[in-house]
Amino acid sequence: MKLKQSEIKPFREKLLKAQGGQDPITGLQITDAVLDHDHASGAIRCVLQREVNAFEGKVWNAYKRFIRPLGASHEDVMIALIEYWSKDYSANPTHPKHRTEKDKVIREYRRRINKAKRPQTKEKYRSLIRELRQSA
């Protein structure tokens, strides 16, 4: 059965009530409800928070574009990705391009040194950089 455009709102509200007002993906209360559907079959799935629906669509499109051509199923990939993200990699070295909070502050101070006109201001930021480098 295909819904008519005029039936979307009442159906969405009924489904949202049946879901207890919760987004099935995040578990959070829905404040901006949209009716999600499978773009392949057209079947209505659930009511989602608008941003979650956009996220789900982007994930699906990224899978279709990058992963499906490799031959992996979306179910297997999603499960493996969650497992991959959940592992502890803290014993590994840090990537050279990763900026710690300290690195970001030092970078900002360098920017301020380059913009500063007064020698006292430049020295103030140089001193702050030295202090940061000496701290643990």
Coordinates of all heavy atoms in Angstrom, one line a residue, residues 42-117:
G42 N 11.3 1.7 -1.2 CA 10.2 2.7 -0.9 C 9.5 2.4 0.4 O 8.7 3.2 0.9
A43 N 9.9 1.3 1.1 CA 9.2 0.9 2.4 C 9.6 1.9 3.5 O 10.7 2.3 3.7 CB 9.6 -0.5 2.8
I44 N 8.6 2.4 4.2 CA 8.8 3.3 5.3 C 9.4 2.5 6.4 O 8.9 1.3 6.7 CB 7.5 3.9 5.7 CG1 7.0 4.9 4.6 CG2 7.6 4.6 7.1 CD1 5.6 5.4 4.8
R45 N 10.4 3.0 7.0 CA 11.1 2.3 8.1 C 10.7 2.8 9.5 O 10.0 2.1 10.2 CB 12.6 2.4 8.0 CG 13.1 1.7 6.7 CD 14.6 1.6 6.6 NE 15.2 2.8 6.1 CZ 16.2 2.9 5.3 NH1 16.8 1.9 4.9 NH2 16.6 4.1 4.9
C46 N 11.0 4.0 9.8 CA 10.7 4.6 11.1 C 10.7 6.1 11.0 O 11.0 6.6 9.9 CB 11.8 4.2 12.1 SG 11.7 2.5 12.8
V47 N 10.4 6.7 12.1 CA 10.6 8.2 12.2 C 12.0 8.4 12.8 O 12.3 7.8 13.8 CB 9.5 8.8 13.1 CG1 9.7 10.3 13.3 CG2 8.1 8.5 12.5
L48 N 12.7 9.3 12.2 CA 14.0 9.7 12.7 C 14.1 11.2 13.0 O 13.3 12.0 12.4 CB 15.1 9.3 11.6 CG 15.2 7.9 11.2 CD1 16.3 7.8 10.1 CD2 15.6 7.0 12.3
Q49 N 15.1 11.5 13.8 CA 15.4 12.9 14.0 C 16.0 13.4 12.6 O 16.7 12.7 11.9 CB 16.5 13.1 15.1 CG 17.0 14.5 15.2 CD 16.0 15.5 15.8 OE1 15.1 15.1 16.5 NE2 16.3 16.7 15.6
R50 N 15.6 14.6 12.2 CA 16.0 15.1 10.8 C 17.5 14.9 10.6 O 17.9 14.5 9.5 CB 15.6 16.6 10.7 CG 15.9 17.1 9.3 CD 15.4 18.5 9.1 NE 14.0 18.6 9.3 CZ 13.1 18.3 8.4 NH1 13.5 17.8 7.2 NH2 11.8 18.4 8.6
E51 N 18.3 15.3 11.5 CA 19.8 15.3 11.3 C 20.3 13.8 11.2 O 21.2 13.5 10.5 CB 20.5 16.0 12.5 CG 20.3 17.4 12.6 CD 19.0 17.8 13.4 OE1 18.2 17.0 13.7 OE2 18.8 19.0 13.6
V52 N 19.6 12.9 12.0 CA 20.0 11.5 11.9 C 19.6 10.9 10.6 O 20.4 10.1 10.0 CB 19.3 10.7 13.1 CG1 19.5 9.2 13.0 CG2 19.8 11.3 14.4
N53 N 18.5 11.3 10.1 CA 18.1 10.9 8.7 C 19.1 11.3 7.7 O 19.4 10.5 6.8 CB 16.7 11.4 8.4 CG 16.1 10.8 7.1 OD1 16.0 9.6 7.0 ND2 15.7 11.7 6.2
A54 N 19.5 12.6 7.8 CA 20.5 13.1 6.8 C 21.8 12.3 7.0 O 22.5 11.9 6.0 CB 20.8 14.5 7.1
F55 N 22.2 12.0 8.2 CA 23.5 11.2 8.5 C 23.3 9.8 7.9 O 24.2 9.3 7.2 CB 23.7 11.2 10.0 CG 24.8 10.2 10.4 CD1 26.1 10.5 10.2 CD2 24.5 9.0 11.0 CE1 27.1 9.6 10.6 CE2 25.4 8.1 11.3 CZ 26.8 8.4 11.1
E56 N 22.2 9.2 8.1 CA 22.0 7.8 7.6 C 22.1 7.8 6.1 O 22.7 6.9 5.5 CB 20.6 7.3 8.1 CG 20.3 5.9 7.7 CD 19.6 5.7 6.4 OE1 19.0 6.7 5.9 OE2 19.8 4.7 5.7
G57 N 21.5 8.8 5.5 CA 21.5 8.9 4.0 C 23.0 9.1 3.5 O 23.4 8.5 2.5
K58 N 23.7 9.9 4.2 CA 25.1 10.1 3.8 C 26.0 8.9 4.0 O 26.8 8.5 3.1 CB 25.7 11.3 4.5 CG 25.1 12.6 4.1 CD 25.8 13.8 4.8 CE 25.1 15.1 4.4 NZ 25.0 15.4 3.0
V59 N 25.7 8.1 5.1 CA 26.5 6.9 5.3 C 26.1 5.9 4.2 O 27.0 5.2 3.6 CB 26.1 6.3 6.7 CG1 26.6 4.9 6.8 CG2 26.7 7.2 7.8
W60 N 24.8 5.8 3.8 CA 24.4 4.8 2.8 C 25.0 5.2 1.4 O 25.5 4.4 0.7 CB 22.9 4.8 2.7 CG 22.4 3.9 1.6 CD1 21.7 4.3 0.5 CD2 22.5 2.5 1.5 NE1 21.5 3.2 -0.3 CE2 22.0 2.1 0.3 CE3 23.1 1.5 2.3 CZ2 21.9 0.7 -0.1 CZ3 23.1 0.2 1.9 CH2 22.5 -0.2 0.7
N61 N 25.0 6.5 1.1 CA 25.5 7.0 -0.1 C 27.1 6.7 -0.2 O 27.6 6.4 -1.2 CB 25.2 8.4 -0.4 CG 23.7 8.6 -0.7 OD1 23.1 7.7 -1.2 ND2 23.2 9.8 -0.5
A62 N 27.7 6.9 0.9 CA 29.2 6.7 1.0 C 29.5 5.2 0.8 O 30.4 4.8 0.1 CB 29.8 7.2 2.3
Y63 N 28.7 4.4 1.4 CA 28.8 2.9 1.2 C 28.7 2.6 -0.3 O 29.5 1.9 -0.9 CB 27.8 2.1 2.1 CG 27.7 0.7 1.6 CD1 28.7 -0.2 1.9 CD2 26.7 0.3 0.8 CE1 28.6 -1.5 1.4 CE2 26.6 -1.0 0.3 CZ 27.6 -1.9 0.6 OH 27.5 -3.2 0.1
K64 N 27.6 3.1 -0.9 CA 27.4 2.7 -2.3 C 28.5 3.2 -3.2 O 28.9 2.5 -4.1 CB 26.0 3.4 -2.8 CG 24.8 2.7 -2.2 CD 23.5 3.2 -2.9 CE 23.4 4.7 -2.9 NZ 22.1 5.1 -3.5
R65 N 29.0 4.4 -2.9 CA 30.1 5.0 -3.7 C 31.4 4.3 -3.5 O 32.1 4.1 -4.5 CB 30.2 6.5 -3.4 CG 31.2 7.2 -4.3 CD 31.2 8.7 -4.0 NE 32.2 9.3 -4.9 CZ 32.6 10.5 -4.7 NH1 32.0 11.3 -3.8 NH2 33.5 11.1 -5.5
F66 N 31.8 4.1 -2.3 CA 33.2 3.6 -2.0 C 33.4 2.1 -1.7 O 34.4 1.5 -2.0 CB 33.8 4.4 -0.8 CG 33.8 5.9 -1.1 CD1 33.0 6.8 -0.4 CD2 34.7 6.4 -2.1 CE1 33.1 8.1 -0.6 CE2 34.7 7.8 -2.3 CZ 33.9 8.7 -1.6
I67 N 32.4 1.5 -1.0 CA 32.6 0.2 -0.5 C 31.9 -0.9 -1.3 O 32.5 -1.9 -1.6 CB 32.1 0.1 1.0 CG1 32.8 1.2 1.9 CG2 32.4 -1.3 1.6 CD1 34.3 1.2 1.9
R68 N 30.7 -0.6 -1.7 CA 29.9 -1.6 -2.5 C 30.7 -2.1 -3.7 O 30.8 -3.3 -4.0 CB 28.5 -1.2 -2.8 CG 27.7 -2.2 -3.5 CD 26.2 -2.0 -3.6 NE 26.0 -0.7 -4.3 CZ 24.7 -0.2 -4.4 NH1 23.7 -0.8 -3.9 NH2 24.5 0.9 -5.1
P69 N 31.4 -1.2 -4.4 CA 32.2 -1.7 -5.6 C 33.3 -2.6 -5.2 O 33.7 -3.4 -6.1 CB 32.8 -0.4 -6.2 CG 31.9 0.7 -5.7 CD 31.4 0.3 -4.4
L70 N 33.7 -2.6 -4.0 CA 34.7 -3.6 -3.5 C 34.2 -5.0 -3.2 O 34.9 -5.9 -3.1 CB 35.4 -3.0 -2.3 CG 36.1 -1.7 -2.4 CD1 36.6 -1.2 -1.0 CD2 37.2 -1.7 -3.4
G71 N 32.8 -5.0 -3.1 CA 32.2 -6.3 -2.9 C 31.8 -6.6 -1.5 O 31.3 -7.7 -1.2
A72 N 31.9 -5.7 -0.5 CA 31.6 -6.0 0.9 C 30.1 -5.6 1.2 O 29.7 -4.6 0.7 CB 32.5 -5.2 1.8
S73 N 29.5 -6.4 2.0 CA 28.1 -6.1 2.3 C 28.0 -4.9 3.3 O 28.9 -4.8 4.1 CB 27.4 -7.3 2.9 OG 27.7 -7.5 4.2
H74 N 27.0 -4.1 3.2 CA 26.8 -3.0 4.1 C 26.7 -3.4 5.6 O 27.2 -2.8 6.5 CB 25.7 -2.0 3.7 CG 24.3 -2.5 3.8 ND1 23.8 -3.4 2.9 CD2 23.4 -2.3 4.8 CE1 22.5 -3.7 3.3 NE2 22.3 -3.1 4.4
E75 N 26.0 -4.5 5.8 CA 25.9 -5.0 7.2 C 27.3 -5.4 7.8 O 27.6 -5.0 8.9 CB 25.0 -6.3 7.3 CG 23.5 -6.0 6.9 CD 23.2 -6.3 5.4 OE1 24.2 -6.4 4.6 OE2 22.1 -6.3 5.1
D76 N 28.0 -6.1 7.0 CA 29.4 -6.5 7.5 C 30.3 -5.3 7.7 O 31.0 -5.2 8.7 CB 30.0 -7.5 6.5 CG 29.4 -8.9 6.5 OD1 28.6 -9.2 7.4 OD2 29.6 -9.6 5.5
V77 N 30.2 -4.4 6.8 CA 31.0 -3.2 6.9 C 30.7 -2.3 8.2 O 31.6 -1.9 8.9 CB 31.0 -2.3 5.6 CG1 31.6 -1.0 5.8 CG2 31.6 -3.1 4.5
M78 N 29.4 -2.1 8.4 CA 29.0 -1.3 9.6 C 29.4 -2.0 10.9 O 29.9 -1.3 11.8 CB 27.4 -1.1 9.6 CG 26.9 -0.3 8.5 SD 27.5 1.4 8.6 CE 28.6 1.5 7.2
I79 N 29.2 -3.3 11.0 CA 29.6 -4.0 12.2 C 31.1 -3.9 12.4 O 31.6 -3.6 13.5 CB 29.1 -5.5 12.1 CG1 27.6 -5.5 12.3 CG2 29.8 -6.3 13.2 CD1 27.0 -6.9 11.9
A80 N 31.9 -4.2 11.3 CA 33.3 -4.1 11.4 C 33.8 -2.7 11.7 O 34.8 -2.6 12.4 CB 33.9 -4.6 10.0
L81 N 33.2 -1.7 11.2 CA 33.6 -0.3 11.5 C 33.4 0.0 12.9 O 34.3 0.6 13.6 CB 32.8 0.7 10.6 CG 33.2 2.1 10.7 CD1 34.6 2.4 10.3 CD2 32.3 3.0 9.8
I82 N 32.3 -0.4 13.5 CA 32.0 -0.2 14.9 C 33.1 -0.9 15.8 O 33.6 -0.3 16.7 CB 30.6 -0.6 15.3 CG1 29.6 0.4 14.7 CG2 30.4 -0.6 16.8 CD1 28.2 -0.1 14.7
E83 N 33.4 -2.1 15.4 CA 34.4 -2.9 16.1 C 35.8 -2.2 16.0 O 36.5 -2.1 16.9 CB 34.5 -4.3 15.6 CG 33.3 -5.2 16.0 CD 33.2 -6.5 15.3 OE1 34.1 -6.8 14.5 OE2 32.3 -7.3 15.7
Y84 N 36.1 -1.7 14.8 CA 37.3 -1.1 14.5 C 37.5 0.2 15.4 O 38.5 0.4 16.0 CB 37.4 -0.7 13.0 CG 38.6 0.0 12.6 CD1 39.8 -0.6 12.4 CD2 38.5 1.4 12.3 CE1 40.9 0.1 11.9 CE2 39.6 2.1 11.8 CZ 40.8 1.5 11.7 OH 41.9 2.1 11.2
W85 N 36.4 1.0 15.4 CA 36.4 2.2 16.2 C 36.5 2.0 17.7 O 37.0 2.8 18.5 CB 35.2 3.1 15.9 CG 35.2 3.8 14.6 CD1 36.3 4.2 13.9 CD2 34.1 4.4 14.0 NE1 35.9 4.9 12.8 CE2 34.6 5.1 12.8 CE3 32.7 4.5 14.3 CZ2 33.7 5.8 12.0 CZ3 31.9 5.2 13.4 CH2 32.4 5.8 12.3
S86 N 36.0 0.8 18.1 CA 35.9 0.5 19.6 C 37.2 0.0 20.1 O 37.4 -0.1 21.4 CB 34.8 -0.6 19.8 OG 33.6 0.0 19.4
K87 N 38.2 -0.4 19.3 CA 39.4 -1.0 19.8 C 40.3 0.1 20.4 O 40.2 1.3 20.1 CB 40.2 -1.7 18.7 CG 39.6 -3.0 18.2 CD 40.3 -3.6 17.1 CE 39.6 -4.9 16.6 NZ 40.3 -5.4 15.4
D88 N 41.2 -0.3 21.3 CA 42.1 0.6 22.0 C 43.4 0.7 21.2 O 44.1 -0.3 21.2 CB 42.3 0.2 23.4 CG 43.3 1.1 24.2 OD1 43.6 2.2 23.7 OD2 43.7 0.7 25.3
Y89 N 43.7 1.8 20.6 CA 44.9 2.0 19.9 C 45.9 2.9 20.6 O 46.8 3.4 20.0 CB 44.6 2.6 18.5 CG 43.7 1.7 17.6 CD1 42.4 1.9 17.5 CD2 44.3 0.6 17.0 CE1 41.6 1.1 16.7 CE2 43.5 -0.2 16.2 CZ 42.2 0.0 16.1 OH 41.4 -0.8 15.3
S90 N 45.6 3.2 21.9 CA 46.4 4.2 22.6 C 47.9 3.8 22.8 O 48.7 4.7 23.0 CB 45.8 4.4 24.0 OG 45.8 3.3 24.7
A91 N 48.3 2.5 22.6 CA 49.7 2.1 22.7 C 50.4 2.4 21.4 O 51.7 2.4 21.4 CB 49.8 0.6 23.0
N92 N 49.7 2.7 20.3 CA 50.4 3.1 19.1 C 50.9 4.5 19.1 O 50.4 5.4 19.8 CB 49.4 2.9 17.9 CG 49.0 1.5 17.6 OD1 49.6 0.6 18.2 ND2 48.0 1.3 16.8
P93 N 51.9 4.8 18.3 CA 52.4 6.2 18.2 C 51.3 7.1 17.6 O 50.4 6.7 17.0 CB 53.6 6.1 17.3 CG 53.5 4.8 16.6 CD 52.6 3.9 17.4
T94 N 51.5 8.4 17.9 CA 50.5 9.4 17.3 C 50.9 9.8 15.9 O 52.1 10.0 15.6 CB 50.6 10.6 18.3 OG1 50.3 10.2 19.6 CG2 49.5 11.7 17.8
H95 N 50.0 10.0 15.1 CA 50.2 10.4 13.7 C 50.9 11.8 13.7 O 50.5 12.7 14.5 CB 48.9 10.5 12.9 CG 49.1 10.6 11.5 ND1 49.4 11.8 10.8 CD2 49.0 9.7 10.5 CE1 49.5 11.6 9.5 NE2 49.2 10.3 9.3
P96 N 51.9 12.0 12.8 CA 52.6 13.3 12.9 C 51.8 14.5 12.5 O 52.1 15.6 13.0 CB 53.7 13.1 11.8 CG 53.3 11.9 11.0 CD 52.4 11.1 11.8
K97 N 50.7 14.3 11.9 CA 49.8 15.5 11.5 C 48.8 15.8 12.6 O 48.1 16.8 12.5 CB 49.2 15.3 10.2 CG 50.2 15.3 9.1 CD 49.5 15.5 7.7 CE 50.6 15.6 6.7 NZ 50.1 16.1 5.4
H98 N 48.7 14.9 13.6 CA 47.7 15.1 14.7 C 48.1 16.3 15.5 O 49.2 16.4 15.9 CB 47.5 13.9 15.5 CG 46.7 14.1 16.7 ND1 45.3 14.2 16.6 CD2 46.9 14.3 18.0 CE1 44.8 14.4 17.8 NE2 45.8 14.5 18.7
R99 N 47.2 17.2 15.8 CA 47.4 18.4 16.6 C 46.8 18.2 18.0 O 45.6 18.1 18.1 CB 46.9 19.6 16.0 CG 47.4 20.0 14.6 CD 48.4 21.1 14.7 NE 48.8 21.5 13.4 CZ 49.9 21.1 12.8 NH1 50.7 20.3 13.4 NH2 50.3 21.6 11.6
T100 N 47.6 18.2 19.0 CA 47.1 18.1 20.4 C 46.5 19.5 20.7 O 46.8 20.5 20.0 CB 48.2 17.7 21.4 OG1 49.2 18.7 21.4 CG2 48.8 16.3 21.0
E101 N 45.8 19.6 21.9 CA 45.4 20.9 22.3 C 46.5 21.8 22.5 O 46.5 23.0 22.2 CB 44.5 20.7 23.6 CG 43.2 20.1 23.3 CD 42.3 20.7 22.2 OE1 42.2 22.0 22.2 OE2 41.9 20.0 21.3
K102 N 47.6 21.3 23.1 CA 48.8 22.1 23.3 C 49.4 22.6 22.0 O 49.7 23.8 21.9 CB 49.9 21.3 24.1 CG 51.1 22.1 24.5 CD 52.2 21.1 24.9 CE 52.5 21.0 26.3 NZ 53.7 20.2 26.6
D103 N 49.5 21.7 21.0 CA 49.9 22.1 19.7 C 49.1 23.3 19.1 O 49.6 24.2 18.5 CB 49.9 21.0 18.7 CG 50.9 19.9 19.0 OD1 51.9 20.1 19.7 OD2 50.6 18.7 18.6
K104 N 47.8 23.2 19.3 CA 46.9 24.2 18.8 C 47.1 25.5 19.4 O 47.0 26.6 18.8 CB 45.4 23.7 18.9 CG 45.0 22.6 18.0 CD 43.7 22.0 18.4 CE 43.4 20.7 17.6 NZ 42.1 20.2 18.0
V105 N 47.3 25.5 20.8 CA 47.6 26.7 21.5 C 48.9 27.4 21.0 O 48.9 28.6 20.8 CB 47.6 26.5 23.0 CG1 48.0 27.7 23.8 CG2 46.2 26.1 23.5
I106 N 49.9 26.6 20.9 CA 51.2 27.1 20.4 C 51.1 27.7 19.0 O 51.6 28.7 18.8 CB 52.3 25.9 20.5 CG1 52.6 25.6 21.9 CG2 53.5 26.3 19.7 CD1 53.5 24.4 22.1
R107 N 50.3 27.0 18.2 CA 50.1 27.5 16.8 C 49.4 28.9 16.9 O 49.8 29.8 16.1 CB 49.3 26.5 16.0 CG 49.2 26.8 14.6 CD 48.4 25.7 13.9 NE 48.5 25.9 12.5 CZ 47.9 25.1 11.6 NH1 47.2 24.1 12.0 NH2 48.1 25.3 10.3
E108 N 48.4 29.0 17.7 CA 47.7 30.3 17.9 C 48.7 31.4 18.4 O 48.6 32.5 18.0 CB 46.5 30.1 18.8 CG 45.8 31.4 19.1 CD 45.2 32.1 17.9 OE1 45.0 31.5 16.8 OE2 44.9 33.4 18.1
Y109 N 49.5 31.0 19.4 CA 50.4 32.0 19.9 C 51.4 32.5 18.9 O 51.8 33.6 18.8 CB 51.2 31.4 21.1 CG 50.3 31.3 22.4 CD1 50.8 30.6 23.5 CD2 49.1 31.9 22.5 CE1 50.0 30.5 24.7 CE2 48.3 31.8 23.6 CZ 48.8 31.1 24.7 OH 48.1 31.0 25.8
R110 N 51.9 31.5 18.0 CA 52.8 31.9 16.9 C 52.1 32.9 16.0 O 52.7 33.8 15.4 CB 53.2 30.6 16.2 CG 54.3 29.9 16.9 CD 54.8 28.8 16.0 NE 55.8 27.9 16.7 CZ 55.8 26.6 16.6 NH1 55.0 26.0 15.8 NH2 56.7 26.0 17.3
R111 N 50.8 32.6 15.7 CA 50.1 33.5 14.8 C 50.0 34.9 15.4 O 50.2 35.9 14.7 CB 48.6 32.9 14.6 CG 47.8 33.7 13.6 CD 46.4 33.2 13.5 NE 45.6 33.6 14.7 CZ 45.2 34.8 15.0 NH1 45.4 35.8 14.2 NH2 44.5 35.1 16.1
R112 N 49.8 34.9 16.7 CA 49.7 36.2 17.4 C 51.1 36.9 17.4 O 51.1 38.2 17.3 CB 49.2 36.0 18.8 CG 47.7 35.6 18.9 CD 47.2 35.5 20.3 NE 45.8 35.0 20.2 CZ 45.1 34.9 21.3 NH1 45.5 35.3 22.5 NH2 43.9 34.4 21.2
I113 N 52.1 36.2 17.5 CA 53.5 36.8 17.5 C 53.7 37.4 16.1 O 54.1 38.6 16.0 CB 54.6 35.7 17.7 CG1 54.6 35.3 19.2 CG2 56.0 36.2 17.3 CD1 55.5 34.1 19.4
N114 N 53.3 36.8 15.0 CA 53.4 37.3 13.7 C 52.6 38.5 13.4 O 53.0 39.4 12.7 CB 53.1 36.2 12.6 CG 54.2 35.1 12.6 OD1 55.3 35.3 13.0 ND2 53.8 33.9 12.2
K115 N 51.4 38.6 14.1 CA 50.5 39.8 13.9 C 50.9 40.9 14.9 O 50.5 42.1 14.6 CB 49.1 39.4 14.2 CG 48.5 38.5 13.1 CD 47.1 38.2 13.4 CE 46.2 39.3 12.9 NZ 44.8 39.0 13.0
A116 N 51.6 40.6 15.9 CA 51.9 41.7 17.0 C 52.8 42.7 16.4 O 53.7 42.4 15.6 CB 52.5 41.0 18.2
K117 N 52.6 43.9 16.9 CA 53.5 45.1 16.5 C 54.5 45.4 17.6 O 55.7 45.7 17.3 CB 52.6 46.3 16.2 CG 51.5 46.1 15.2 CD 51.8 46.7 13.9 CE 50.6 46.6 13.0 NZ 50.4 45.4 12.2

